[in-house]
Amino acid sequence: MRNRLFHSSSLAVMMLAVFGGAMPALAQEAAPAQDSSGLGDIIVTAQRRAETLQDAGIAIDAVGGDRLLQQGITQADALNKAVPALTVTNGGGSNTSIFLRGVGNITNSSYNDPAVTPSYDGVVLGRAAGAFGSAFYDLARVEVLKGPQGILYGRNATGGAVNIIPNRPELGRSSGGFTLTVGNYDAVGAEGFANLALGENAALRVAATHQYHDGYNRDGSDDLDRSGLRAQFLFEPTDRFSIRLGGDYTHVGGVGAGSSYIGSFTPGATGFTFTPTGFDSSEGLNTDAANAYRQTQLGAPGFGFLTAMNRQQMNDATYWGLNAEVTLDTGIGTLTVLPAYRNTKAESFFYGPAFNTAYTNEKDRQFSLETRLAGTVGMFDYVVGGFFFDEKIRNTGEYNQEFVLPIQHYTHKTRSLAGFGQLTANLTDSFRLIGGLRYTRDHKSIDGIINNFIAFCGGIPAVTPPDSFGQGCAVPGNIPNFPNFTSTGDTVNWLIANGYIAPGSTDAASDQVYPLLSGAGLILKTYYPVVDSGNFSRVTWKVGAEFDLAKDSLLYGSVETGYRAGGFQLSEGNPTYNPEFITAYTIGSKNRFLNDHVQLNVEAFYWKYKDQQINYFTVSPDSVLINTIDNAGRADIKGFDVDLMVKPMRNTTLSAKVQYLDTEYKELTLTTASPRNNINCPSSATGDYLSDGVTPILAFNCSGRPLLFSPKWTVNLGAEQVVPLGDDYELVGSVNTSWRSSQYGAFEYLDFEKIRGYWLTDANLTLRLSDGGLSIGAFVQNIENKRRVATPQSSPIGFAVARYTAPRTYGLRLSGTF
């Protein structure tokens, strides 16, 4: 830890030292005086114009950079501390899933577009990991838009959009700052920035960060090892033209996200029997105790005993990008051009839902270009523009389930074109009508192959326990426990070399069956190439109205549609899935009272969701069990938000955010078969069978169930008190607590997949100079010290596993600005 603390401290010091020669008077510069008696404003750009959060007649939450730092929000999965509607999860590797009011998708494959669109500095990102793998440092704010963004913002955004916005370079002012943090779990963190004025018309801003902590689990997982660097150059030669160039780089290392065993399911004549492990939430999957437990379990369809994890998890991911913002006042409106390039290289070994072991090696690159013209003609304000997006993904992966080894290779491409426009009619000084249209056309293609090596006890169908013991399948060495190969040829050669299959066995470009020399069963190698492409298109629209009830009171309402394109996947017999659609009805009011000392915002919403893209084990058209993206039926989402902030005295601020959410699938049928039929919904036989001619196919009616990650009640409460200590110092104390009622985290709706309701409380105490510049503080997060289920997973090999939230963490923070 001493070396990490030294390097992290050096990072912040070097940032200031590098620019120190150009900042001789930094210590004497005072920040502009601000009136702190009221609540203040946050400027947002979600509607492609700068306006206060209170003036934006849309469903949006925004969190300023200072608030992110105070609440310890250094990465995306902690955003729910400030935004009740949002949930961000990671089940392993670089796959990140985002849900907003129940709309989202559990991301198992990188080619499935996120339903909640992530953006960095206004640039839409095709993959969530690119934004949310990066660190939160030197940020102006994070904007979270709730509901479909079918006109001005986002791409394929049915649930909403999250935009991470860094601080821009400041003209005419040289400044710098740093934050150093130390805490338990050997946590060290440092970030710093330097803003250098280059004459009157140009400025350079550079920021960097390093964040580290040991794993929260005993196997070293749930750790953090992340570094980032960002630079921006702003040039404004006239008041009508500006250009801003930016570049950023992030590296993520360490062990990565981890889970723990909750128990296992054993199939029987009357259903599944659950047996708990007795492990706590911090065990992990790769300790001696966890591996000893694992080796007592049988794995289908080989029905031999599982082995210990064959290697440690690891992450090695780099994300970098270049972007620009060019603005020109043309006389008829402001022209804005946003070109951007993003590149990702990510390699990881991970266990996910108790795999042994999953591996991905992926390279993504994307180019995007957005052009907008915004202006005013008479009583009309307008925004028109076009959007181009081009993405290419190359992926190699394996998902080792010991007796099943899926190997996949694919190249996936997306090209999207869109034209959009929004018109605001200012009918009076206080009443406005809004209308918008967007046409989107997505072309997607996939060129890949998935091979499965499947070890069967006895034959097809497999001989199951207890008969499998008589077959000898549980005898070590009779059935192969596959190692981690990404090549079918290497796998076949390993089987030959270890005496499992006959010498001279070949690897052909077709389905093959290899009898086991032990006589215990056979190995089926499947061969399924997917080469496909197609187009998806949609016109989305918005109509809305705004009315200023008073100077600081806004009433707004809208109806808006959203669309997420279908796509192509590596899935035997089911290479295509369809688009999903949503229509959102919103009415709300934003208000300030008592000279900006009370803020009350309310919003009611009703969303109609159709053909949601979900991922689960189902039956292919040729009657084979497959993991695939499929389309659900219909769902309704309704509820309300209440956001209250009060500043009863100059130095006291109280806040409360309450969301009520009622979600229900009106139509949801999951079609599957044994052994993937452990689903807690009423079932009936379809009359069809799997390709073995023996196993019946079942239809599970999950209509009436709630959407995932949609707690009925979410409450965020906060209090901040500033205590002056003479003329020079002040003590600032804050407490933030949140309540999440119970919610489901997986489509099987099993008891362990129900995340129980919980409180989560953080506190901060900071001593700072009254005029800013330097502060030192202490913090504690998760005062309750309860690790709650974050991501439950029903493993394909019979385990119940879950990733958990962080335990209690605490530490000290030193910050300075100059």
Side-chain angles (χ1 to χ4, degrees):
M1 177 178 175
R2 185 173 299 170
N3 288 337
R4 288 191 177 275
L5 182 59
F6 172 77
H7 291 304
S8 297
S9 303
S10 299
L11 173 68
V13 173
M14 288 173 60
M15 288 291 297
L16 299 179
V18 166
F19 295 94
M23 301 180 185
L26 292 185
Q28 286 75 40
E29 291 187 13
Q34 294 184 353
D35 180 8
S36 61
S37 62
L39 289 170
D41 288 310
I42 295 178
I43 303 298
V44 297
T45 54
Q47 298 195 95
R48 302 310 193 189
R49 64 176 183 265
E51 59 187 340
T52 70
L53 184 64
Q54 289 300 104
D55 289 336
I58 55 176
I60 178 175
D61 274 333
V63 189
D66 291 342
R67 181 65 61 182
L68 291 168
L69 180 64
Q70 183 187 61
Q71 292 190 239
I73 301 174
T74 58
Q75 56 193 49
D77 58 6
L79 272 175
N80 68 328
K81 292 182 179 182
V83 184
L86 189 69
T87 300
V88 181
T89 67
N90 184 314
S94 61
N95 291 326
T96 300
S97 301
I98 318 169
F99 285 80
L100 204 157
R101 291 176 175 168
V103 178
N105 53 311
I106 296 177
T107 306
N108 294 328
S109 301
S110 58
Y111 44 67
N112 188 210
D113 296 328
V116 179
T117 303
S119 296
Y120 167 77
D121 201 11
V123 176
V124 173
L125 304 182
R127 307 301 115 204
F132 294 157
S134 302
F136 283 21
Y137 64 101
D138 193 33
L139 295 185
R141 64 192 177 277
V142 174
E143 298 179 4
V144 179
L145 288 81
K146 295 172 281 189
Q149 304 303 313
I151 309 301
L152 297 179
Y153 206 90
R155 187 190 78 86
N156 282 337
T158 48
V162 180
N163 192 9
I164 301 167
I165 303 172
N167 281 312
R168 298 165 57 97
E170 296 180 80
L171 295 176
R173 182 170 184 259
S174 293
S175 58
F178 69 90
T179 297
L180 300 174
T181 305
V182 295
N184 60 334
Y185 292 94
D186 282 350
V188 294
E191 66 175 82
F193 78 89
N195 189 92
L196 180 62
L198 305 175
E200 295 181 356
N201 301 319
L204 174 69
R205 190 179 187 99
V206 179
T209 187
H210 176 69
Q211 299 169 351
Y212 173 88
H213 66 69
D214 287 343
Y216 298 140
N217 297 328
R218 297 184 189 94
D219 63 354
S221 60
D222 278 351
D223 65 337
L224 178 64
D225 188 357
R226 179 170 53 205
S227 301
L229 175 67
R230 180 192 305 127
Q232 297 179 84
F233 173 74
L234 175 64
F235 179 52
E236 291 186 4
T238 72
D239 58 0
R240 299 183 61 178
F241 175 75
S242 72
I243 180 169
R244 181 169 57 95
L245 305 175
D248 64 278
Y249 173 88
T250 300
H251 178 262
V252 180
V255 177
S259 302
S260 294
Y261 296 110
I262 296 175
S264 63
F265 292 94
T266 304
T270 58
F272 288 81
T273 300
F274 177 73
T275 305
T277 63
F279 292 142
D280 65 20
S281 57
S282 300
E283 185 62 43
L285 298 178
N286 194 24
T287 63
D288 290 342
N291 281 319
Y293 164 74
R294 182 182 181 88
Q295 292 175 86
T296 66
Q297 303 296 304
L298 295 172
F303 292 108
F305 286 101
L306 300 175
T307 59
M309 295 299 186
N310 56 35
R311 62 154 297 142
Q312 176 65 301
Q313 294 188 148
M314 60 82 72
N315 265 343
D316 184 8
T318 59
Y319 311 98
W320 65 271
L322 302 170
N323 62 294
E325 180 184 62
V326 181
T327 61
L328 174 66
D329 183 353
T330 66
I332 62 171
T334 300
L335 179 68
T336 303
V337 182
L338 299 168
Y341 176 82
R342 305 294 307 178
N343 187 283
T344 297
K345 294 182 180 179
E347 182 180 25
S348 62
F349 287 93
F350 61 98
Y351 304 142
F355 290 150
N356 187 357
T357 303
Y359 169 80
T360 62
N361 190 332
E362 182 168 298
K363 297 179 180 179
D364 305 348
R365 66 108 182 103
Q366 74 167 63
F367 172 76
S368 64
L369 176 65
E370 182 170 332
T371 302
R372 306 188 302 268
L373 182 67
T376 300
V377 178
M379 62 183 285
F380 297 101
D381 299 328
Y382 69 88
V383 179
V384 295
F387 177 76
F388 172 77
F389 176 89
D390 184 86
E391 179 187 51
K392 183 178 182 180
I393 302 170
R394 293 184 181 272
N395 181 282
T396 295
E398 59 83 11
Y399 303 88
N400 186 348
Q401 300 157 49
E402 301 210 29
F403 300 111
V404 180
L405 178 64
I407 299 173
Q408 66 180 30
H409 302 265
Y410 66 82
T411 298
H412 187 276
K413 298 179 181 179
T414 299
R415 179 167 291 185
S416 180
L417 291 168
F420 57 87
Q422 181 165 299
L423 191 67
T424 300
N426 298 281
L427 299 181
T428 70
D429 290 342
S430 59
F431 182 57
R432 299 168 292 281
L433 294 178
I434 302 110
L437 286 174
R438 183 184 187 109
Y439 172 75
T440 303
R441 183 180 185 273
D442 295 296
H443 177 80
K444 294 188 176 185
S445 66
I446 191 168
D447 184 354
I449 185 170
I450 181 168
N451 299 105
N452 289 284
F453 285 85
I454 309 170
F456 288 90
C457 177
I460 305 175
V463 176
T464 60
D467 296 337
S468 60
F469 290 94
Q471 185 75 22
C473 297
V475 176
N478 279 357
I479 299 283
N481 299 74
F482 292 112
N484 306 325
F485 288 124
T486 58
S487 163
T488 57
D490 289 344
T491 307
V492 170
N493 290 336
W494 180 85
L495 291 168
I496 294 172
N498 286 273
Y500 286 110
I501 62 176
S505 297
T506 61
D507 174 28
S510 63
D511 292 351
Q512 293 176 274
V513 175
Y514 305 96
L516 290 170
L517 297 181
S518 66
L522 57 85
I523 295 173
L524 170 66
K525 189 208 78 175
T526 66
Y527 174 85
Y528 194 82
V530 177
V531 180
D532 210 339
S533 64
N535 299 315
F536 306 90
S537 62
R538 186 73 171 181
V539 173
T540 51
W541 52 267
K542 173 183 178 177
V543 294
E546 297 177 359
F547 181 64
D548 297 323
L549 298 170
K551 178 179 178 295
D552 294 317
S553 292
L554 171 67
L555 178 66
Y556 65 92
S558 66
V559 182
E560 188 166 5
T561 62
Y563 142 89
R564 181 157 63 118
F568 302 92
Q569 60 186 333
L570 283 183
S571 180
E572 295 95 326
N574 192 33
T576 307
Y577 55 93
N578 296 323
E580 68 176 32
F581 309 97
I582 195 167
T583 302
Y585 303 83
T586 303
I587 185 169
S589 180
K590 297 185 176 183
N591 306 274
R592 285 282 179 91
F593 305 107
L594 300 178
N595 195 27
D596 279 349
H597 284 74
V598 176
Q599 174 178 298
L600 177 62
N601 297 340
V602 294
E603 177 207 350
F605 53 89
Y606 179 42
W607 298 356
K608 303 287 289 185
Y609 199 13
K610 181 182 178 183
D611 296 333
Q612 180 188 10
Q613 296 165 12
I614 65 174
N615 192 297
Y616 78 107
F617 274 95
T618 187
V619 179
S620 70
D622 52 355
S623 300
V624 175
L625 271 175
I626 54 171
N627 182 259
T628 188
I629 301 168
D630 204 352
N631 293 90
R634 298 181 298 110
D636 284 356
I637 302 167
K638 55 190 175 184
F640 61 83
D641 274 358
V642 178
D643 183 356
L644 176 65
M645 293 184 66
V646 180
K647 200 163 186 179
M649 294 178 287
R650 182 183 184 90
N651 294 323
T652 304
T653 305
L654 307 174
S655 64
K657 289 177 177 283
V658 179
Q659 176 182 263
Y660 171 77
L661 185 60
D662 182 10
T663 68
E664 181 183 1
Y665 280 107
K666 297 297 184 180
E667 294 178 5
L668 177 60
T669 300
L670 306 178
T671 303
T672 189
S674 177
R676 311 300 185 214
N677 60 327
N678 189 14
I679 297 175
N680 188 22
C681 297
S683 66
S684 60
T686 64
D688 296 320
Y689 296 85
L690 293 183
S691 56
D692 60 16
V694 176
T695 307
I697 298 174
L698 305 175
F700 290 84
N701 183 7
C702 294
S703 301
R705 288 289 194 173
L707 278 68
L708 304 190
F709 297 106
S710 59
K712 189 169 288 290
W713 287 100
T714 305
V715 179
N716 285 21
L717 304 174
E720 180 182 273
Q721 180 65 49
V722 179
V723 180
L725 301 176
D727 295 331
D728 297 326
Y729 299 96
E730 58 189 21
L731 192 64
V732 183
S734 65
V735 176
N736 293 277
T737 188
S738 61
W739 163 257
R740 302 289 185 274
S741 63
S742 61
Q743 57 188 302
Y744 280 100
F747 280 111
E748 292 81 14
Y749 294 103
L750 299 171
D751 184 67
F752 86 92
E753 294 173 338
K754 188 174 186 179
I755 303 170
R756 311 301 176 185
Y758 63 91
W759 284 99
L760 179 67
T761 306
D762 302 338
N764 293 268
L765 186 63
T766 301
L767 177 66
R768 68 189 185 193
L769 293 174
S770 300
D771 58 355
L774 190 66
S775 67
I776 184 170
F779 64 88
V780 57
Q781 298 176 346
N782 188 4
I783 292 175
E784 296 86 354
N785 198 25
K786 300 286 188 180
R787 299 197 67 184
R788 310 294 186 176
V789 172
T791 311
Q793 293 179 295
S794 182
S795 171
I797 51 179
F799 291 114
V801 300
R803 188 189 179 197
Y804 292 85
T805 58
R808 179 190 296 147
T809 56
Y810 51 85
L812 300 174
R813 183 183 296 121
L814 175 68
S815 296
T817 55
F818 306 94

